[in-house]
Amino acid sequence: MGYRSYVAVGDSFTEGLNDPLPDAPSPAPGEVVRYRGWADRVAERLALLEPDFRYANLAVRGKLIDQIVADQVPEAVRLKPDLISFCAGGNDLIRPGADPDQMAKKLAAAVRDLRATGADVVLFTGTDPRDTPIMRQLRGKFAIFFMHVRSIADLYGCHLVDMWSMQGLRDWRAWSGDRLHMNAEGHRLVAARVLHVLGVPGEDDWRKTWPPRETVDPRAKRREDVQWLREHFGPWIGRRLRGTSSGDGLAPKRPELGPLPPAL
């Protein structure tokens, strides 16, 4: 028997940035853009296998692990689904002073509560940041936290999606222009890996070998890096200094378990 209900918990990765909904109209000025993402893609597949399938996505962009544990985990417990995906910590790790050991303790306590409901739980390692400018300096901190995630998955009997090993995600063609969020192809690969880990048949393969890229002029590459710093990294730093987040005031896109709309 397949999963009849699924709740996704997390931040922008699970919300689905930057994987646009198919055929979605252009947002009006000031309107919040809604995204599809790997979790929606997984839910779509599960719904094909179970007529009474219901899905909720509690993830909100920009959230820290404390906020996810305080706000989303109790809601996931209340909803009592068959399946819960839980990915948190990425926004914490890129902040100065983040302690991966303390983060892991919070993650473990939350996973214990989620598993106590009887639900299957899916955890994630992140991707290797060694190819990312600036972020590569935090590689050791990322590695420590993701080793904790592996241990927690083993301790509590969770499914583990190891994105660190996904070579297809090491190519920038799987990422959007901000270099922090996957594009539609990246989300497709992650969804395929999640389904593979769950033992659910799917149409996509998470293993991908990209065709060779054309040689990039080093000067053009430097211009791209400068543009990224100005358009994406600079504003992110500004929000950190102001103590604000891209998710402030936003509600989850699917706060309650319900059937998927026919268009999804």
Side-chain angles (χ1 to χ4, degrees), residues 109-131:
V111 169
R112 183 185 63 231
D113 291 343
L114 294 174
R115 286 288 286 146
T117 67
D120 282 359
V121 174
V122 181
L123 300 180
F124 298 77
T125 74
T127 56
D128 187 346
R130 69 179 179 178
D131 301 318

Side-chain angles (χ1 to χ4, degrees), residues 152-166:
I152 292 166
D154 185 52
L155 180 63
Y156 290 103
C158 302
H159 299 284
L160 179 66
V161 176
D162 184 8
M163 295 195 297
W164 192 283
S165 68
M166 292 180 66

Side-chain angles (χ1 to χ4, degrees), residues 1-263:
M1 180 177 179
Y3 295 107
R4 298 183 62 187
S5 54
Y6 166 38
V7 173
V9 172
D11 52 26
S12 59
F13 168 67
T14 302
E15 185 185 344
L17 276 69
N18 285 319
D19 180 12
L21 286 165
D23 303 322
S26 299
E31 184 181 359
V32 176
V33 179
R34 296 296 181 180
Y35 295 97
R36 188 185 187 189
W38 66 265
D40 283 14
R41 292 168 180 265
V42 168
E44 293 163 21
R45 185 61 186 172
L46 296 177
L48 291 176
L49 303 174
E50 176 54 58
D52 297 325
F53 179 78
R54 297 175 302 147
Y55 168 54
N57 190 318
L58 309 180
V60 177
R61 65 195 72 172
K63 295 304 181 183
L64 302 171
I65 194 167
D66 283 344
Q67 296 170 311
I68 294 170
V69 169
D71 300 333
Q72 298 179 32
V73 169
E75 282 298 293
V77 170
R78 178 184 67 83
L79 292 170
K80 294 183 172 61
D82 299 330
L83 175 68
I84 301 170
S85 64
F86 181 22
C87 186
N91 292 314
D92 298 77
L93 288 168
I94 55 181
R95 289 183 173 228
D99 185 339
D101 298 321
Q102 290 299 318
M103 291 169 56
K105 290 181 180 179
K106 297 171 183 178
L107 180 74
V111 169
R112 183 185 63 231
D113 291 343
L114 294 174
R115 286 288 286 146
T117 67
D120 282 359
V121 174
V122 181
L123 300 180
F124 298 77
T125 74
T127 56
D128 187 346
R130 69 179 179 178
D131 301 318
T132 308
I134 299 177
M135 302 275 282
R136 67 170 63 98
Q137 301 175 33
L138 305 174
R139 193 182 185 208
K141 187 182 296 186
F142 276 76
I144 291 171
F145 181 66
F146 296 148
M147 283 301 296
H148 281 305
V149 173
R150 291 184 177 94
S151 298
I152 292 166
D154 185 52
L155 180 63
Y156 290 103
C158 302
H159 299 284
L160 179 66
V161 176
D162 184 8
M163 295 195 297
W164 192 283
S165 68
M166 292 180 66
Q167 296 301 303
L169 297 181
R170 291 194 55 200
D171 193 293
W172 284 117
R173 285 170 285 186
W175 296 80
S176 59
D178 65 10
R179 305 184 183 180
L180 296 172
H181 301 100
M182 297 171 188
N183 58 23
E185 181 62 10
H187 281 282
R188 185 192 68 78
L189 293 173
V190 172
R193 184 69 186 269
V194 173
L195 292 171
H196 175 81
V197 167
L198 293 175
V200 176
E203 299 176 352
D204 294 330
D205 188 353
W206 62 269
R207 299 174 180 85
K208 176 161 184 150
T209 301
W210 292 88
R213 299 190 66 172
E214 296 181 2
T215 302
V216 178
D217 187 320
R219 292 171 297 181
K221 180 65 169 61
R222 286 193 292 270
R223 287 195 297 270
E224 290 179 1
D225 289 343
V226 170
Q227 183 179 4
W228 172 74
L229 287 169
R230 181 176 63 250
E231 296 183 2
H232 298 289
F233 190 72
W236 182 86
I237 289 293
R239 289 195 295 271
R240 301 291 80 74
L241 293 175
R242 294 190 299 271
T244 61
S245 165
S246 58
D248 288 347
L250 295 184
K253 63 181 180 181
R254 295 182 62 86
E256 296 290 340
L257 283 172
L260 292 170

